[in-house]
């Protein structure tokens, strides 16, 4: 069982459901690789597995910090690797699940992430600059400092741009020179879920409607009541930001819902930039096909070969 299965793909495609089934069939435990499900009190808008699902199969790295606590890729990687080792030690199968490309690949490819602590003042200065001049100004700054790093970061990903500039400011070195890889010692099976783009958008829209019906407005209201400001990184995510604008009286609820759907469509497209359909390491399955049997067969073969 000293191996790892990773279930990846765009949002709303059914990763959690498949992972739970695999965990049941192959004595596994699930390790979260979603950058938003780490937060407590944020259940509906993050599509967090239900308490019932988590009672069926053990889930790790869900509800581990409050919405106003700092978190980093390096910390997630460290925690995930410790959980994987523990699951191995207990003779079970670790199943990494999520749509956050950074979280997935940092573990699967074994990224060695620079141990540079956050510089809050530096970050706030750059965030203010981005507000005044746009994220493109910071991206151009990064491109001039480290052209290689700029090819690995999306121009709209403000957090990663600031982090790269922060690393350069703290170490005086090029971020790309500090990004090394040391693949894990155990084999990894990558299972990707996908479907036709329009079908995926329909699935996303249905999920958003379900979130609203399940009480997303009340969830955001409760978070604000608890004192979590809408400018927090956790609260500025898709869904929470738009409902926050609605609660502030800046937009109507139907407009907020449409914005959530539209931005989630965009997010799904960005996820495909991390998980390429032509990546031969990934075993892709269209969710509108009969996939459970062939996926189980693939896993059985993988486990027999690695056992």
């Amino acid at each position: 069982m000293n191996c790892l299965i990773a279930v990846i793909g765009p949002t709303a495609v059914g990763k959690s459901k498949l992972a739970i089934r695999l965990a049941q069939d192959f004595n596994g435990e699930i390790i979260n690789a979603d950058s938003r499900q780490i937060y407590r009190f944020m259940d509906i808008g993050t599509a967090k597995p239900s308490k019932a699902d988590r009672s069926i199969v053990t889930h790790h790295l869900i509800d581990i910090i409050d919405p106003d606590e700092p978190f980093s890729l390096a910390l997630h990687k460290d925690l995930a690797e410790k959980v994987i080792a523990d699951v191995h030690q207990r003779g079970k199968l670790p199943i990494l699940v999520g749509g956050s490309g950074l979280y997935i690949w940092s573990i699967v490819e074994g990224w060695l992430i620079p141990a540079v602590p956050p510089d809050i003042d530096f970050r706030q200065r750059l965030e203010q600059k981005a507000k005044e001049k746009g994220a493109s100004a910071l991206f151009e700054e990064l491109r001039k400092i480290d052209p290689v790093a700029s090819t690995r970061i999306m121009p709209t990903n403000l957090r990663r741009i600031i982090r790269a500039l922060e690393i350069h400011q703290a170490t005086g070195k090029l971020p790309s020179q500090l990004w090394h890889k040391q693949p894990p010692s155990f084999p990894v099976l990558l299972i990707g879920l996908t479907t036709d783009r329009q079908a995926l958008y329909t699935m996303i829209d249905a999920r958003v409607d379900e979130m609203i019906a399940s009480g997303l407005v009340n969830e955001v209201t409760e978070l604000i009541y608890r004192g979590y400001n809408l400018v927090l990184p956790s609260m500025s995510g898709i869904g929470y930001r738009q409902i926050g604008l609605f609660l502030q009286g800046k937009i109507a609820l139907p407009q907020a819902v449409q914005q959530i759907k539209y931005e989630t469509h965009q997010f799904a497209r960005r996820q495909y930039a991390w998980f390429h359909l032509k990546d031969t390491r990934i075993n892709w399955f269209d969710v509108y096909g009969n996939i459970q049997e062939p996926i189980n067969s693939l896993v059985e073969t993988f486990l027999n070969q690695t056992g």
Side-chain angles (χ1 to χ4, degrees):
M1 284 294 194
N2 280 5
C3 55
L4 174 69
I5 291 177
V7 179
I8 62 177
T11 187
V13 80
K15 299 183 296 294
S16 294
K17 181 179 179 181
L18 172 64
I20 290 171
R21 178 68 182 271
L22 291 176
Q24 290 176 302
D25 290 347
F26 296 98
N27 191 29
E29 296 185 7
I30 293 172
I31 303 164
N32 170 51
D34 183 293
S35 63
R36 300 200 301 162
Q37 292 181 0
I38 59 173
Y39 295 112
R40 301 184 187 101
F41 318 123
M42 305 180 76
D43 302 333
I44 298 171
T46 65
K48 197 175 290 178
S50 68
K51 290 182 179 179
D53 287 338
R54 288 150 69 182
S55 69
I56 295 171
V57 171
T58 299
H59 285 67
H60 301 273
L61 304 189
I62 289 177
D63 291 342
I64 57 175
I65 62 170
D66 289 340
D68 58 354
E69 291 184 77
F71 199 71
S72 68
L73 173 65
L75 181 55
H76 179 271
K77 179 175 180 288
D78 181 61
L79 292 173
E81 289 177 339
K82 288 177 180 177
V83 171
I84 290 170
D86 176 64
V87 175
H88 282 161
Q89 184 68 28
R90 290 184 285 107
K92 291 195 170 187
L93 175 66
I95 304 173
L96 186 68
V97 185
S100 299
L102 281 170
Y103 283 20
I104 292 288
W105 291 122
S106 68
I107 297 165
V108 170
E109 296 183 336
W111 294 1
L112 302 180
I113 303 166
V116 176
D119 184 332
I120 303 302
D121 290 339
F122 179 79
R123 290 184 177 187
Q124 288 177 343
R125 289 198 302 273
L126 292 191
E127 287 169 357
Q128 184 59 38
K129 184 176 179 178
K131 287 181 181 178
E132 296 171 357
K133 300 183 178 181
S136 59
L138 295 184
F139 184 77
E140 181 61 21
E141 184 177 334
L142 175 62
R143 190 188 66 78
K144 290 179 180 177
I145 292 172
D146 190 346
V148 175
S150 70
T151 64
R152 301 177 184 175
I153 299 176
M154 298 185 69
T156 56
N157 194 329
L158 183 59
R159 275 197 239 174
R160 286 204 69 204
I161 294 169
I162 290 177
R163 178 57 177 167
L165 292 171
E166 182 180 50
I167 290 170
H168 178 259
Q169 187 265 346
T171 65
K173 298 180 180 179
L174 300 182
S176 62
Q177 293 178 343
L178 300 176
W179 294 337
H180 302 293
K181 296 178 182 179
Q182 185 176 315
S185 59
F186 45 81
V188 179
L189 174 66
L190 287 162
I191 298 173
L193 297 184
T194 187
T195 193
D196 170 79
R197 193 65 56 91
Q198 288 304 316
L200 178 61
Y201 292 164
T202 299
M203 295 166 74
I204 289 171
D205 292 350
R207 170 180 278 185
V208 173
D209 289 337
E210 182 181 346
M211 287 177 175
I212 297 298
S214 298
L216 180 57
V217 173
N218 289 337
E219 180 169 275
V220 179
T221 301
E222 177 66 21
L223 285 162
I224 294 172
Y225 177 77
R226 288 175 179 269
Y228 298 118
N229 195 298
L230 290 170
V231 301
L232 289 169
S234 59
M235 294 288 283
S236 63
I238 300 174
Y240 295 92
R241 180 175 67 255
Q242 292 82 1
I243 297 301
L245 292 173
F246 160 66
L247 292 172
Q248 291 174 327
K250 295 181 179 179
I251 58 176
L253 183 57
Q255 183 183 359
V257 172
Q258 285 306 117
Q259 286 186 11
I260 295 170
K261 292 177 179 179
Y262 176 73
E263 291 194 28
T264 308
H265 295 177
Q266 289 184 313
F267 176 61
R269 291 196 293 271
R270 292 197 297 271
Q271 287 176 302
Y272 278 115
W274 282 105
F275 307 126
H276 297 287
L277 293 173
K278 294 183 179 180
D279 189 335
T280 57
R281 296 173 298 177
I282 304 172
N283 300 273
W284 287 105
F285 294 87
D286 189 317
V287 295
Y288 277 97
N290 179 19
I291 64 171
Q292 193 64 56
E293 186 175 334
I295 287 178
N296 275 28
S297 178
L298 176 68
V299 172
E300 287 176 0
T301 300
F302 172 73
L303 294 178
N304 289 335
Q305 290 174 343
T306 57

